[in-house]
Amino acid sequence: MNGIEPVAAALRRARGVVVLTGAGVSVESGLRSFRGRDGWWRGHDPARLATPEAFEADPALVSEWYDTRRLAALAAAPNPAHEAIAELERQVVVAGGRFQLVTQNVDGLHQRAGSERLVELHGNLTVWRDHRSGRRVTPGPAAFEAYPVPGPDGGWLRPDVVWFGEFLPPAALAAAAAAAASCDVMLVVGTSAVVFPAASLVVEAAAAGAVTVEVNVEATPAAVGHRLIGAAGEVLPRLVRASWPSARPRG
Ligand code: BV8
């Protein structure tokens, strides 16, 4: 694959690395992306489902949709892209560098692949909260019996994710922005880069002089310096091996 060696060299030299991921990194785990051919959004208008207004209007529909996605995420397994990102973290940290993984995904697969230095910008599907009190609960592996689901404090349970029109967790956004502003290399993997403020992290890294690299099956609007076009589960293990020939991504 042309263009992989300069990226590998930049990774070997880097003192600070950020990896920004989107739904595309979980496609090879069998989880649909949002705007792909059969994306979750195709059947459902995001504005109709992923907003506090939609939940207020029809909590049964929205909580059933999210429970379907929660069960799919629990049934899925990390793929070689997730494992390569976890290995990349280990290689950078062992070399004394700084590493930050920033994900828009709410499926929890990065943690299960062994990633540690992780910021979940948009929350996590496996945790739910009472929409009145905010008290969090971690549901068991089985589907909820009925929708909507009564919360512990008189509200309904909702997924602990960030909906359109809702603010991101300030600590997560601050950590992501700080890492983007001080990294030498940012990999942008499997995201359409159209949702903000996540997409603005690429701009911040480029403005800070970082080498920016997109890994995607197609080119997106992201303003990056390098594009490695291909499936993340194929490109990332190859990039890690090209960067650190002794590296052995687990899995
Ligand atoms: C906010 C969680 C303050 C829930 C999600 C500035 C300009 C314009 C609009 C805005 C702006 N600032 C704010 C907005 C509004 C809005 C926004 O960005 N709208 C967009 C649509 C224009 N942002 C917000 O509302 C944010 N909040 O700003 O609060 C505020 C408050 C009040 C009023 C104003 C502002 C909150 C945004 C977060 C929403 N929650 N998810 C859930 O999961 O249901 S967003 C959700 O969609 C994802 O988390 C992700 O972030 C986003 C996009 O998805 P991607 O991950 O990129 O996936 P997608 O399918 O789009 O693309 C997949 C890619 O992978 C493709 O490129 C494909 O080619 C590629 N691919 C496929 N297979 C593979 C692959 N690549 C590699 N390998 C493969 N195998």
Side-chain angles (χ1 to χ4, degrees):
M1 170 174 287
N2 57 11
I4 210 166
E5 193 32 53
V7 177
L11 281 172
R12 281 193 295 272
R13 282 195 307 272
R15 305 312 306 142
V17 175
V18 172
V19 179
L20 173 65
T21 65
V25 86
S26 294
V27 163
E28 293 155 84
S29 293
L31 298 183
R32 302 178 188 185
S33 65
F34 290 94
R35 287 177 186 73
R37 269 177 304 285
D38 56 1
W40 283 91
W41 307 103
R42 269 297 139 81
H44 308 279
D45 173 352
R48 236 171 54 70
L49 289 166
T51 64
E53 295 79 18
F55 186 74
E56 208 62 44
D58 191 342
L61 177 76
V62 172
S63 42
E64 182 173 0
W65 183 53
Y66 276 100
D67 200 31
T68 309
R69 291 175 58 194
R70 176 181 74 92
L71 298 172
L74 292 175
N79 67 63
H82 298 105
E83 281 132 16
I85 291 169
E87 179 63 21
L88 201 157
E89 173 179 357
R90 287 187 286 271
Q91 292 292 335
V92 170
V93 169
V94 158
R98 299 182 316 280
F99 179 91
Q100 185 70 69
L101 172 57
V102 179
T103 190
Q104 299 167 81
N105 299 345
V106 294
D107 56 35
L109 291 178
H110 281 303
Q111 292 95 322
R112 289 167 53 195
S115 286
E116 293 170 6
R117 294 163 185 79
L118 168 67
V119 162
E120 295 178 303
L121 283 181
H122 296 161
N124 190 304
L125 258 183
T126 61
V127 177
W128 289 49
R129 65 180 196 249
D130 185 297
H131 91 292
R132 293 239 182 284
S133 69
R135 187 200 309 239
R136 290 182 168 79
V137 298
T138 302
F144 292 117
E145 266 133 42
Y147 306 100
V149 188
D153 307 309
W156 298 120
L157 279 188
R158 58 157 285 175
D160 192 28
V161 299
V162 179
W163 282 332
F164 288 98
E166 291 186 326
F167 289 96
L168 277 58
L173 186 55
S182 63
C183 68
D184 306 312
V185 177
M186 175 180 280
L187 303 183
V188 183
V189 185
T191 181
S192 56
V194 294
V195 170
F196 290 79
S200 66
L201 294 168
V202 185
V203 179
E204 282 167 43
V211 173
T212 52
V213 184
E214 177 169 75
V215 177
N216 197 304
V217 290
E218 62 187 20
T220 76
V224 294
H226 300 258
R227 292 187 199 280
L228 301 178
I229 301 297
E234 283 149 29
V235 173
L236 291 178
R238 196 181 300 170
L239 178 59
V240 168
R241 275 197 296 280
S243 307
W244 301 280
S246 63
R248 283 290 168 274
R250 295 189 190 133

